[in-house]
């Protein structure tokens, strides 16, 4: 038996033993393994139902034929607002940490305010969130165009 | 936790009011409690006055343009603060190298050194009077620069070089926000005259921001 054959059968044996979580709680937990912020998922309608209905109504402007387009535009708008709120939270966390650590005064007045420090500290996360904001804006643009047409 | 934001006092639109839902959207979740609500209000007012939005979609566009402009301002200010710290680090490193060169370094001079770094840094910042900070380090600083073949402008180059990945990330943040704003403005252009007015409003704000960083 070659090494690769041995490896292959060991892999198969291990895979057969590992069948993932068995309890419902475990399965639910595992289903969220790849979830970090859920920004790629559809808007949770149970959470946003009321806001969604109100915004849809306003965008629809009383024209029944526009109901579906208005709903798509409202969903896209709420997704956009969700990304912006997360960005603000990232900054807020960073600013609070900077304030607790008193980084600004330790570094001198030239270090800038807490938000500048938070921004410098969280550039990678903010750039990632920028990508989501761009996608949300693009979805909304399409929805607005449909609404206007 | 920072203080909670002051109540929203703004703005009266040309129609006489900002729709309540828009007012809520404007303030909800975008600004942090560490930021200047009054300055944000001022920015909204500038854009609203020029644009005179009508209808839900136009108000949402105003919000987009305001927030992207605020994002640009935030990133430019953070970049400027980061560069200022970089310039100060450069002065510190230069001084350390110069003191080491002269073999006069001791605990006492290191402690005094930090004050001198502050003095030199402050004297070089825009708006500082020539004799405002008159520590001993000020007199030796030109000699230090000369010793290493540098000029005052070199400090900014060193700061930029030492923070290159961050500078690049700041620039990307600024570019992203500018692209978002341009995309909204193009969309508005497709619609009506409001696009032209929004561009004018944004240009006035950009000129004010540019003036602050020049």
């Amino acid at each position: 038996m070659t090494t690769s054959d041995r490896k292959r059968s060991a892999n198969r044996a291990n895979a057969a033993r590992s069948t993932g979580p068995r309890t419902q709680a475990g399965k639910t937990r595992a289903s969220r393994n790849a979830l970090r912020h859920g920004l790629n998922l559809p808007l949770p309608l149970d959470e946003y139902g009321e806001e969604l209905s109100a915004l849809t109504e306003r965008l629809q402007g009383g024209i029944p034929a526009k109901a579906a387009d208005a709903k798509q535009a409202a969903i896209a708008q709420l997704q956009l607002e969700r990304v912006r709120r997360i960005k603000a939270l990232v900054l807020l966390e960073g600013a609070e940490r900077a304030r607790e650590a008193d980084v600004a005064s330790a570094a001198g007045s030239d270090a800038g305010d807490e938000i500048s420090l938070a921004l410098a500290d969280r550039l990678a996360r903010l750039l990632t969130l920028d990508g989501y904001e761009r996608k949300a804006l693009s979805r909304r643009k399409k929805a607005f165009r449909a609404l206007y047409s | 936790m920072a203080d909670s934001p002051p109540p929203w006092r703004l703005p009266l639109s040309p129609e006489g009011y900002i729709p309540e839902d828009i007012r809520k959207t404007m303030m909800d979740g975008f600004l942090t409690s560490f930021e200047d609500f009054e300055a944000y209000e001022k920015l909204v007012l500038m854009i609203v006055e020029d644009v005179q939005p009508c209808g839900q979609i136009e108000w949402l566009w105003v919000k987009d343009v305001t927030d992207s402009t605020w994002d640009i301002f935030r990133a430019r200010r953070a970049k400027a603060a980061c560069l200022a710290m970089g310039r100060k680090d450069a002065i510190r490193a230069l001084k350390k190298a110069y003191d080491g060169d002269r073999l006069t370094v001791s605990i006492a001079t290191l402690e005094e050194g930090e004050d001198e770094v502050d003095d030199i840094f402050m004297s070089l910042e825009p708006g500082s009077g020539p004799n405002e900070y008159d520590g001993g380090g000020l007199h030796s600083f030109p000699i230090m620069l000369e010793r290493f073949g540098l000029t005052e402008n070199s400090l900014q180059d060193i700061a930029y070089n030492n923070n290159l990945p961050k500078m690049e990330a700041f620039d990307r943040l600024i570019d992203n926000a500018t692209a978002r704003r341009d995309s909204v403005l193009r969309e508005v252009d497709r619609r009506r005259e409001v696009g032209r007015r929004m561009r004018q409003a944004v240009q006035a704000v950009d000129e004010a921001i540019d003036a602050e960083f020049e």
Side-chain angles (χ1 to χ4, degrees):
Chain A
M1 189 183 264
T2 65
T3 313
S4 59
D5 286 342
R6 256 197 358 252
K7 265 188 187 168
R8 213 173 294 142
S9 52
N11 285 345
R12 278 202 201 102
N14 286 338
R17 275 198 295 273
S18 169
T19 54
R22 292 177 190 179
T23 64
Q24 191 51 48
K27 285 176 186 170
T28 309
R29 201 168 51 241
S31 74
R32 299 174 70 85
N33 276 352
L35 181 70
R36 281 182 300 167
H37 40 59
L39 289 172
N40 270 333
L41 296 177
L43 199 71
L45 294 181
D46 50 339
E47 206 180 304
Y48 285 89
E50 214 172 291
E51 256 179 283
L52 181 62
S53 309
L55 185 56
T56 303
E57 204 181 309
R58 289 197 301 274
L59 288 168
Q60 194 180 340
I63 305 168
K66 294 284 181 188
D69 290 336
K71 187 174 179 186
Q72 286 310 309
I75 288 174
Q77 174 64 28
L78 293 177
Q79 276 172 331
L80 180 62
E81 286 171 21
R82 187 161 59 147
V83 179
R84 287 177 178 161
R85 274 199 301 275
I86 293 173
K87 274 170 88 171
L89 263 180
V90 167
L91 282 176
L92 182 65
E93 277 172 12
E96 281 178 351
R97 225 177 76 177
R99 176 170 282 187
E100 275 163 27
D102 208 10
V103 183
S105 64
S109 58
D110 47 298
D113 56 326
E114 285 92 346
I115 286 294
S116 294
L117 289 164
L119 214 142
D121 194 41
R122 285 161 162 73
L123 282 164
R125 285 169 74 187
L126 291 166
L127 281 169
T128 304
L129 286 166
D130 264 4
Y132 287 105
E133 188 169 356
R134 187 173 47 79
K135 278 185 202 163
L137 263 173
S138 165
R139 276 195 292 264
R140 199 197 61 183
K141 182 166 77 178
K142 278 185 196 152
F144 275 0
R145 282 185 185 180
L147 195 58
Y148 260 126
S149 63
Chain B
M1 185 78 185
D3 299 336
S4 50
W8 177 259
R9 292 178 291 106
L10 251 196
L12 290 183
S13 74
E15 302 149 301
Y17 66 98
I18 275 193
E20 195 50 46
D21 50 295
I22 293 293
R23 187 184 299 241
K24 187 176 169 292
T25 308
M26 284 279 181
M27 294 305 280
D28 187 22
F30 177 71
L31 279 194
T32 71
S33 47
F34 285 84
E35 291 176 278
D36 185 347
F37 283 76
E38 280 183 23
Y40 184 80
E41 273 185 356
K42 222 177 188 174
L43 178 60
V44 175
L45 187 60
M46 276 179 78
I47 294 175
V48 166
E49 274 178 353
D50 283 356
V51 172
Q52 305 188 10
C54 324
Q56 186 76 31
I57 292 181
E58 285 184 12
W59 277 108
L60 292 176
W61 281 331
V62 166
K63 165 78 174 149
D64 291 341
V65 169
T66 308
D67 288 359
S68 309
T69 305
W70 191 263
D71 276 339
I72 293 167
F73 177 66
R74 253 181 197 160
R76 287 186 69 169
R77 200 167 57 169
K79 183 182 172 187
C82 190
L83 271 175
M85 282 206 289
R87 285 195 298 275
K88 196 167 176 181
D89 287 343
I91 294 170
R92 192 177 290 116
L94 193 63
K95 189 173 170 359
K96 201 172 160 188
Y98 182 73
D99 287 345
D101 205 29
R102 289 187 302 150
L103 299 172
T104 57
V105 122
S106 70
I107 296 294
T109 53
L110 277 177
E111 282 170 359
E112 284 163 14
E114 197 52 34
D115 291 340
E116 285 185 13
V117 168
D118 278 340
D119 288 352
I120 295 166
F121 173 75
M122 291 307 291
S123 72
L124 295 175
E125 287 302 284
S128 295
N131 298 316
E132 204 170 329
Y133 299 95
D134 197 19
L138 283 189
H139 306 295
S140 54
F141 188 61
I143 304 165
M144 280 186 221
L145 286 173
E146 202 184 330
R147 163 72 185 80
F148 295 105
L150 300 171
T151 65
E152 281 182 15
N153 290 338
S154 311
L155 296 176
Q156 179 81 342
D157 301 340
I158 295 168
Y160 214 99
N161 185 49
N162 288 345
N163 290 284
L164 208 49
K166 271 192 177 176
M167 292 299 113
E168 200 186 346
F170 279 127
D171 287 342
R172 278 178 60 203
L173 272 184
I174 294 166
D175 289 347
N176 289 347
T178 308
R180 282 197 300 274
R181 193 174 69 178
D182 287 347
S183 166
V184 172
L185 290 174
R186 276 196 303 276
E187 206 51 25
V188 179
D189 276 342
R190 288 168 61 99
R191 292 297 145 216
R192 70 173 185 98
E193 177 66 358
V194 75
R196 189 186 56 77
R197 294 203 304 274
M198 209 181 270
R199 276 189 194 282
Q200 278 174 351
V202 162
Q203 204 175 341
V205 173
D206 278 352
E207 280 166 9
I209 293 176
D210 284 344
E212 186 173 330
F213 289 99
E214 271 164 12

